Amino acid sequence: MALPPASHSMQGAPNTAILLAAGLGKRMRPLTATRPKPLVEVRGQAIIDHVLDHVRAGGIRRVVINVHYLADALEAHIRRHTPDLDVAISDERGQLLETGGGVVKALPLLGDRPFFAINTDNIWVDGPIDTLRLLANRWDDATMDALLLVVPLARATAHGGRGDFHMDALGHLRRREPRRVAPFVYTGVQLVSPRLFADAPEGAFSTGMLWDRAIAAGRAYGVVHQGLWCDVGTPAAIPIAEDMLKDG
């Protein structure tokens, strides 16, 4: 699907990612009774470690990770498993801030260039091009505030929804209409500009409200994931994800 040519106004490829790891993991109970959801294992490896492997493959070396639920266990795991990365912790022990509020709190750690924001409850297998490099190659700083990785609804493994977005030939996104089906599902992986968070509200809120503002301005785009993807939100999804990884 065609997108505008890449802009040269962004100095170099994105080099920072925030991993959103602060959630309570309620849908993953009882596995999250004693551990945070990012430490639930898929094929013998914590979900967050699968994500960190992709971060490394994408050439990212600066990583911010937000923590809230069972934060001590998550921080200890991160220290053991990321000696090769420059990791900063954004501490939300005092208040869970949701996706949007969590990024806003972490902005001082993320710099002034576009950065990846990645949920830690999904597993993916890259297509012909490394997924994070695909997003970076498609980024156009002149026209975009958000570039979301989406997957066709028909290929959204273990995902029970009706889709999230429609996308036109240039990659512009628009929301699914109520009581309808949309052809694309958000994967939990996005490349965003700090501009997206300008004048954001204080406290806890979803990034979705900022997407809506960017959609209205014509500055929210999507790119289709070329590989495999699985929504690992419940215990039932774990064997499905493991099968996908085995085949992938």
Side-chain angles (χ1 to χ4, degrees):
M1 187 167 289
L3 282 179
S7 167
H8 297 292
S9 57
M10 184 173 69
Q11 298 299 313
N15 62 2
T16 302
I18 179 169
L19 308 190
L20 301 171
L24 299 176
K26 292 180 179 179
R27 292 192 303 138
M28 192 59 89
R29 290 175 179 169
L31 297 180
T32 49
T34 57
R35 56 184 160 178
K37 183 167 62 173
L39 296 189
V40 171
E41 292 189 352
V42 175
R43 289 199 83 191
Q45 186 178 20
I47 297 173
I48 195 168
D49 291 339
H50 287 279
V51 177
L52 285 165
D53 285 345
H54 285 294
V55 165
R56 293 181 178 96
I60 307 301
R61 290 295 175 264
R62 170 70 173 170
V63 181
V64 178
I65 302 173
N66 68 341
V67 299
H68 172 80
Y69 177 62
L70 299 177
D72 290 349
L74 185 54
E75 283 199 59
H77 179 92
I78 291 164
R79 282 196 298 271
R80 289 195 304 271
H81 288 78
T82 58
D84 56 324
L85 298 174
D86 176 12
V87 176
I89 299 295
S90 181
D91 192 335
E92 294 181 24
R93 284 175 175 84
Q95 181 188 9
L96 183 60
L97 294 170
E98 300 184 41
T99 53
V103 174
V104 168
K105 179 179 174 63
L107 281 176
L109 302 171
L110 291 166
D112 57 2
R113 288 166 51 181
F115 56 87
F116 295 101
I118 305 173
N119 295 353
T120 52
D121 57 0
N122 58 85
I123 296 283
W124 76 88
V125 176
D126 289 330
I129 301 174
D130 174 89
T131 299
L132 299 186
R133 296 183 191 275
L134 173 68
L135 285 165
N137 290 342
R138 295 291 182 93
W139 181 263
D140 178 3
D141 203 57
T143 63
M144 298 177 181
D145 289 337
L147 179 60
L148 279 58
L149 184 74
V150 298
V151 65
L153 179 60
R155 292 200 287 111
T157 305
H159 184 76
R162 294 186 172 190
D164 301 312
F165 294 105
H166 299 267
M167 187 162 56
D168 70 14
L170 292 178
H172 291 105
L173 295 176
R174 64 179 177 87
R175 290 279 198 176
R176 176 178 63 84
E177 297 174 6
R179 297 179 298 280
R180 300 289 181 90
V181 173
F184 295 104
V185 171
Y186 174 54
T187 62
V189 182
Q190 60 180 326
L191 179 55
V192 294
S193 168
R195 288 187 302 268
L196 183 69
F197 300 90
D199 303 317
E202 296 182 5
F205 71 95
S206 168
T207 310
M209 66 176 295
L210 304 182
W211 290 343
D212 290 339
R213 186 172 68 178
I215 288 169
R219 296 187 62 84
Y221 287 77
V223 62
V224 178
H225 180 48
Q226 301 299 312
L228 307 176
W229 177 84
C230 184
D231 181 350
V232 192
T234 65
I238 292 174
I240 298 171
E242 290 177 336
D243 285 344
M244 182 192 78
L245 288 174
K246 179 177 63 179
D247 295 339

